[in-house]
Amino acid sequence: MNILQKLKETVSSVLPIMVVVLLLGVTIAPLGGSLIVRFLVGGVLVILGLTVFLLGIDIGVIPIGEQSGAALAAKRNLPLLLIAAFMIGFIVTVAEPDVQVLADQVRGIAPAVNKWHLILMIAAGIGLAVSLGIFRMVFSLPLNILLVIAYAIVFALAFFTPAEFQGIAFDSGGATTGPMTVPFIMALGLGVAAVRVKTGAKDAAENDDGFGLTGIASIGPIAAVCLYGIIFAHTGKAADGAVVEAEAAAHTAASGLSVFVQLLPAITHEVVNALLPLLAMAVFFQVTLIKMPPFQVIRMVRGFVFSFVGLVIFLVGANGGFMPAGERLGEVLGALAAASPLWSALLVVVGFAFGAVVVIAEPAVWVLTDQVESVSGGTIKRRVMLIALSAGVATSIGLSMLRVLTGFSLWYVLIPGYAISLVLAFFCPKLFTGIAFDSGGVASGTMTSTFILSFTLGASAASGGNPAVDAFGVIALVAMTPLIAIQILGMIFAIKNRRAQRTVRCSAQGDGQ
């Protein structure tokens, strides 16, 4: 895709957040000149980095996923396909920028948590879930039954997970479905589906098998982090509150643009560690499996270079200016909310506004709404979809702010929300169920994983809450919204479709008489 188009997408995603923050930062929640400058520079770096990164994904990573999926499926070797699916899911997740950001934020709250242990657990969860999703595609297993079983296991694990890890676990399900993981997993699924169509598999031509892989994949990290939390509770040590406060104070007090330069070496090292396994996998598949011609290999290498440079720029911008400003803004509003019920109401309203801005600005949401409008034959309009998603995500973040202020349990929202989603899966057309569960990660995009979570962490800390318990969970609530909204729209589509068919039959009968 054209780099200007990519730039337009990332600007439309990041700029609305920047405008809202600047308005608040110079009025009711002053951030100070130094932090605002850092935020502006960080925002520009996030835009540029994400643009270059996504361009690299398009030209270097996605083709590997599509061709690898097709080549593996063509071999008709199920164990090989499932093992390769696990490795692909694992390696791609390690390189996912949203996962890197989430792990950094968890580390900021709980220094005793090892960042790379957490990332590797999340990656293992994705790998296993992708294998399960591919297995479902091969055997055309019912998606709704599989989802019910998977979420029953997840909630059972969550029951035994320490409260500090419950929100992190469900947030990881939304954060992992980011700009690296989703395109690659979808490309892998499309490659497998394409081979099934060519070989005349019974259900390969049906649309519903083409969706659901990303939705299944997002369940894996939730279960994995629940397990990590259970293990950590028995073997780890609790974070020292004084250390956490000291690190947070040093992070907030840091000023000047030199912070971006100071972050560059460490982030470059981390990105090298994250992308090297992905590059090694691509080389291995090229040599043993897909054997692309030289011009495609050159294109792939160029894509990996773009991905590397873009990811470094993105993480430097996010860590150096974007997230600190979000956290500080949350702290200012959270402190005001702790002092007055009126300011508490304002914090909830600001969260509601951020939710509406985030989902409408997310480029992947526009792709999703196009997809649903096309699949429904124009019966479900993009405008209706955007309104439904915007209202749902805005409500999710508004509820997250209310949760920060009152400390009510995450389960009060998650359990009924997922229960409704899973019940709807038995009444909604299969196609829309697959789209709905795939789209949970679409709404919880990069801005939610970076800015919104930082804002929520700051608000929780300043209002006297426990950020590890009260703040984490915001991504999970955002990711849950499309599960309900899209399935309801799918049921509306089915009702309208049945009515249209009855009208046609009645007309035909009238003409026959």
Side-chain angles (χ1 to χ4, degrees):
M1 186 179 287
N2 190 299
I3 190 169
L4 293 179
Q5 178 63 29
K6 285 295 183 190
L7 181 61
K8 180 181 177 182
E9 287 182 2
T10 52
V11 167
S12 68
S13 176
V14 179
L15 195 59
I17 289 287
M18 295 182 67
V19 170
V20 174
V21 171
L22 287 176
L23 288 175
L24 293 171
V26 298
T27 54
I28 60 175
L31 297 178
S34 176
L35 189 55
I36 286 178
V37 170
R38 277 179 59 187
F39 173 71
L40 290 173
V41 173
V44 171
L45 291 176
V46 164
I47 290 171
L48 293 177
L50 201 53
T51 299
V52 175
F53 174 78
L54 291 174
L55 184 66
I57 293 299
D58 270 3
I59 67 175
V61 176
I62 290 180
I64 290 289
E66 290 178 345
Q67 295 188 45
S68 300
L72 287 165
K75 287 187 175 296
R76 304 294 192 88
N77 186 328
L78 183 60
L80 174 64
L81 178 60
L82 297 181
I83 291 170
F86 171 83
M87 294 305 301
I88 289 170
F90 183 93
I91 291 171
V92 170
T93 303
V94 171
E96 173 61 59
D98 289 359
V99 174
Q100 299 278 337
V101 169
L102 176 69
D104 282 333
Q105 289 169 320
V106 172
R107 182 73 176 82
I109 293 297
V113 174
N114 184 289
K115 174 183 174 178
W116 280 101
H117 288 174
L118 180 62
I119 289 175
L120 293 176
M121 282 295 290
I122 291 172
I126 281 278
L128 288 171
V130 170
S131 295
L132 178 63
I134 294 294
F135 185 85
R136 183 196 84 86
M137 290 181 66
V138 170
F139 291 99
S140 295
L141 300 177
L143 178 61
N144 51 6
I145 300 295
L146 187 60
L147 289 171
V148 168
I149 294 172
Y151 275 108
I153 294 171
V154 161
F155 276 98
L157 282 171
F159 180 79
F160 296 100
T161 302
E164 292 80 5
F165 281 90
Q166 290 171 352
I168 296 169
F170 280 88
D171 277 356
S172 70
T176 48
T177 48
M180 169 74 88
T181 309
V182 169
F184 205 98
I185 289 175
M186 290 185 70
L188 176 66
L190 288 172
V192 174
V195 170
R196 294 186 67 230
V197 170
K198 289 179 182 177
T199 55
K202 180 180 178 182
D203 295 324
E206 295 182 8
N207 283 334
D208 61 294
D209 271 353
F211 297 98
L213 182 57
T214 304
I216 293 171
S218 66
I219 301 173
I222 303 175
V225 176
C226 284
L227 284 172
Y228 179 78
I230 294 169
I231 295 169
F232 185 86
H234 289 88
T235 61
K237 60 178 182 178
D240 186 341
V243 172
V244 174
E245 291 179 7
E247 288 192 358
H251 182 63
T252 305
S255 60
L257 299 182
S258 61
V259 66
F260 297 105
V261 179
Q262 294 168 5
L263 286 170
L264 187 59
I267 286 177
T268 301
H269 183 259
E270 288 191 352
V271 172
V272 168
N273 289 338
L275 288 183
L276 267 181
L278 184 60
L279 179 60
M281 181 186 71
V283 171
F284 177 76
F285 281 157
Q286 164 63 17
V287 172
T288 62
L289 195 65
I290 53 181
K291 303 185 188 306
M292 293 184 295
F295 78 92
Q296 287 187 337
V297 173
I298 293 171
R299 181 179 172 87
M300 182 192 75
V301 171
R302 189 163 66 244
F304 269 91
V305 171
F306 285 166
S307 298
F308 169 78
V309 173
L311 189 51
V312 169
I313 295 172
F314 168 81
L315 290 174
V316 167
N319 284 280
F322 213 69
M323 292 193 297
E327 187 172 350
R328 180 57 186 159
L329 181 65
E331 288 173 354
V332 174
L333 292 176
L336 292 172
S340 165
L342 182 62
W343 288 108
S344 297
L346 177 64
L347 179 63
V348 174
V349 170
V350 169
F352 194 91
F354 274 141
V357 169
V358 161
V359 73
I360 291 179
E362 185 63 49
V365 168
W366 289 83
V367 174
L368 172 70
T369 53
D370 262 345
Q371 186 181 50
V372 174
E373 187 171 17
S374 173
V375 165
S376 67
T379 304
I380 297 177
K381 301 295 183 185
R382 163 186 274 187
R383 179 173 56 85
V384 175
M385 278 279 295
L386 287 173
I387 291 172
L389 288 174
S390 179
V393 172
T395 301
S396 296
I397 298 182
L399 280 172
S400 295
M401 294 305 107
L402 191 61
R403 183 167 157 258
V404 161
L405 295 171
T406 63
F408 69 81
S409 174
L410 179 64
W411 301 122
Y412 293 168
V413 183
L414 279 186
I415 290 177
Y418 276 102
I420 292 170
S421 303
L422 294 172
V423 169
L424 287 175
F426 288 89
F427 299 95
C428 174
K430 293 180 181 179
L431 171 64
F432 283 90
T433 297
I435 293 174
F437 280 85
D438 276 356
S439 66
V442 168
S444 56
T446 302
M447 288 302 97
T448 306
S449 302
T450 54
F451 182 84
I452 298 297
L453 181 54
S454 296
F455 174 77
T456 310
L457 287 167
S460 176
S463 60
N466 180 355
V469 176
D470 300 333
F472 286 103
V474 61
I475 301 176
L477 296 184
V478 170
M480 186 182 70
T481 300
L483 310 186
I484 299 173
I486 293 176
Q487 289 191 100
I488 289 174
L489 291 176
M491 293 172 69
I492 294 171
F493 163 72
I495 292 169
K496 287 185 175 182
N497 198 35
R498 284 196 295 269
R499 286 177 179 173
Q501 289 175 355
R502 280 200 300 266
T503 302
V504 170
R505 284 197 300 267
C506 289
S507 298
Q509 289 172 1
D511 292 340
Q513 294 174 354

